[in-house]
């Protein structure tokens, strides 16, 4: 393996479960191999031993069909009969998985990794393999990984809608759900609680559950959005309407959404709103209606192309936000940083 590393060679391991391509130089970067040490690739089928993954795939919110047995992959060095794990790297194409042949339509299939800590599946970016029958993806955690199909991915009321493609992008990543199996209600207004939950999910933030509450009299910690609100508050993404009220059922305004996006920016190590160019607001005739606490964030999202005016000359800072608009804004945010 040391010779392969030095030669920057690629090794392919084929199994009935999954094929794995190993870029020796990248996969072993930072790993010192003793003379005579062996490299061992461990591939484990987890479908029978991880019932929580199967349960998560069948949850009513986003039921999914599992096409391949969930598989965990990790590597280790073996020297003098002692095994030591090799840390998986975030480097692209260092360790790639390939599900070779998938029976469903490829445009409907995606790769997901089961996050045991969060008890949910997480989208993994993939590309078609060489013969177009399967998918390739980077392995940067042990997994498990599987190919899945979302059972109710398309909605009757988003067909032909201006936000259809962006909504589908978010659905594939398990970041938004429909109101039912056939309806998304793209033009319904979204509440502060709903957008907060969407943003926390989109940022893949572990939900807080420290039992200390969230400080808001109108947010029950046991409500469906309670942990998301607590998480958002702890990360500085949102504040209440007053010192002890959050207003979970109030419709979120466009400037409030801009502020939450602006506060999320530092989590991507992408700077913050304080450096935004406020002159961008001058093109909008209603810029004077943007509250002072929101101006920097509105300027940031405009400059980054994450939000646009409602028209060429109006921003409508206090206008309400629809489910479609929220999905589009979050898609634009995430796609800027999705590698």
């Amino acid at each position: 393996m040391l010779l392969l590393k030095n030669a920057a060679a690629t090794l392919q391991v084929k199994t009935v479960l999954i094929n794995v391509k190993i870029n020796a130089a990248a996969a072993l970067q930072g790993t010192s191999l003793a003379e005579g040490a062996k490299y061992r690739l461990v591939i484990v089928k987890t479908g029978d031993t991880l019932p929580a993954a199967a349960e998560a795939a069948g949850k009513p919110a986003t039921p999914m069909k599992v096409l391949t047995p969930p598989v965990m992959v990790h590597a280790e060095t073996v020297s003098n009969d002692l095994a030591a794990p090799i840390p998986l790297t975030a480097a692209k194409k260092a360790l790639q998985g390939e599900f070779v042949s998938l029976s469903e339509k490829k445009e409907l299939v995606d790769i997901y990794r089961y996050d045991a800590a969060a008890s949910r599946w997480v989208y993994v970016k993939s590309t078609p393999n060489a013969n177009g029958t399967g998918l390739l993806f980077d392995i940067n955690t042990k997994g498990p990984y599987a190919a899945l199909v979302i059972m109710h991915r398309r909605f009757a009321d988003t067909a032909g809608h201006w936000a259809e493609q962006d909504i589908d992008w978010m659905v594939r990543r398990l970041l938004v759900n429909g109101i039912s199996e056939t309806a998304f209600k793209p033009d319904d207004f979204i509440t502060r609680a709903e957008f907060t939950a969407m943003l926390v999910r989109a940022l893949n933030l572990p939900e807080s559950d420290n039992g200390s509450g969230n400080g808001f009299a109108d947010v029950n910690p046991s409500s469906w959005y309670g942990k998301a609100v607590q998480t958002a508050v702890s990360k500085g993404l949102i504040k209440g309407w007053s010192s002890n009220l959050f207003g979970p059922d109030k419709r979120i305004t466009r400037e409030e959404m801009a502020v939450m996006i602006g506060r999320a920016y530092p989590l991507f190590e992408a700077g913050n709103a304080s450096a935004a160019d406020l002159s961008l607001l001058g093109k909008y005739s209603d810029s004077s209606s943007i509250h002072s606490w929101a101006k920097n964030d509105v300027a940031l999202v405009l400059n980054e192309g994450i939000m646009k005016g409602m028209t060429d000359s109006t921003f409508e800072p206090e206008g309400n936000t629809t489910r479609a608009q929220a999905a589009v804004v979050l898609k634009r945010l995430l796609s800027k940083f999705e590698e």
Side-chain angles (χ1 to χ4, degrees), residues 2-63:
L2 185 58
L3 292 175
L4 292 175
K5 177 183 178 182
N6 293 337
T10 298
L11 178 68
Q12 184 169 27
V13 178
K14 295 184 177 182
T15 75
V16 296
L17 294 173
I18 188 175
N19 289 354
V20 179
K21 292 182 179 180
I22 308 163
N23 180 321
L28 294 172
Q29 186 175 11
T31 300
S32 57
L33 291 175
E35 187 69 30
K38 298 178 181 178
Y39 176 94
R40 181 159 64 194
L41 186 70
V42 182
I43 299 173
V44 182
K45 176 183 175 182
T46 63
D48 298 331
T49 58
L50 198 64
E55 181 183 348
K59 283 184 177 178
T62 312

Side-chain angles (χ1 to χ4, degrees), residues 1 33-34 36-40 76-79 86:
M1 196 66 185
L33 291 175
K38 298 178 181 178
Y39 176 94
R40 181 159 64 194
E76 54 193 26
T77 60
V78 181
S79 181
I86 298 175

Side-chain angles (χ1 to χ4, degrees), residues 20 60 63 110 127 133 153 163 253 267 280 289 303 310 339:
V20 179
D110 283 299
T127 57
T133 61
R153 179 171 143 186
T253 65
L267 299 179
L280 292 169
S289 299
N303 183 63
M310 288 298 289
E339 297 179 0

Side-chain angles (χ1 to χ4, degrees), residues 203-249:
L203 297 175
N204 199 28
L205 298 175
E207 290 192 339
S208 298
D209 189 18
N210 56 25
S212 62
N214 48 59
F216 298 120
D218 57 355
V219 176
N220 185 334
S222 63
S223 64
W224 68 266
Y225 53 82
K227 291 181 181 179
V229 170
Q230 186 170 325
T231 300
V233 170
S234 70
K235 294 294 184 180
L237 300 177
I238 198 166
K239 297 179 181 178
W241 271 67
S242 65
S243 59
N244 69 333
L245 294 176
F246 178 72
D249 297 323

Side-chain angles (χ1 to χ4, degrees), residues 48-174:
D48 298 331
T49 58
L50 198 64
E55 181 183 348
K59 283 184 177 178
T62 312
M64 305 165 78
K65 178 181 178 181
V66 182
L67 300 182
T68 62
V71 176
M72 297 186 77
V73 179
H74 71 275
E76 54 193 26
T77 60
V78 181
S79 181
N80 297 322
D81 294 327
L82 295 177
I86 298 175
L88 292 170
T89 175
K92 292 295 179 184
K93 299 183 179 181
L95 199 64
Q96 281 191 299
E98 178 186 15
F99 290 121
V100 179
S101 183
L102 301 170
S103 57
E104 300 281 339
K105 292 181 178 179
K106 305 309 171 293
E107 65 270 19
L108 298 179
V109 182
D110 283 299
I111 304 300
Y112 295 87
R113 173 181 59 82
Y114 183 69
D115 184 339
S119 300
R120 67 187 182 94
W121 289 93
V122 177
Y123 172 86
V124 176
K125 191 172 183 180
S126 62
T127 57
N129 61 1
N131 58 16
T133 61
L135 294 172
L136 279 166
F137 56 96
D138 285 325
I139 297 174
N140 47 37
T141 72
K142 289 174 65 174
Y145 295 86
L148 301 132
V149 172
I150 297 174
M151 300 301 291
H152 308 294
R153 179 171 143 186
R154 304 285 167 80
F155 304 100
D157 58 358
T158 61
H161 192 277
W162 65 269
E164 178 182 10
Q165 291 186 354
D166 288 345
I167 291 170
D168 184 61
W169 193 95
M170 292 288 286
V171 170
R172 288 174 59 196
R173 286 155 179 77
L174 307 180

Side-chain angles (χ1 to χ4, degrees), residues 267-282:
L267 299 179
F268 294 98
E269 299 180 357
N272 55 59
S274 62
D277 182 4
L278 294 181
S279 66
L280 292 169
L281 305 181

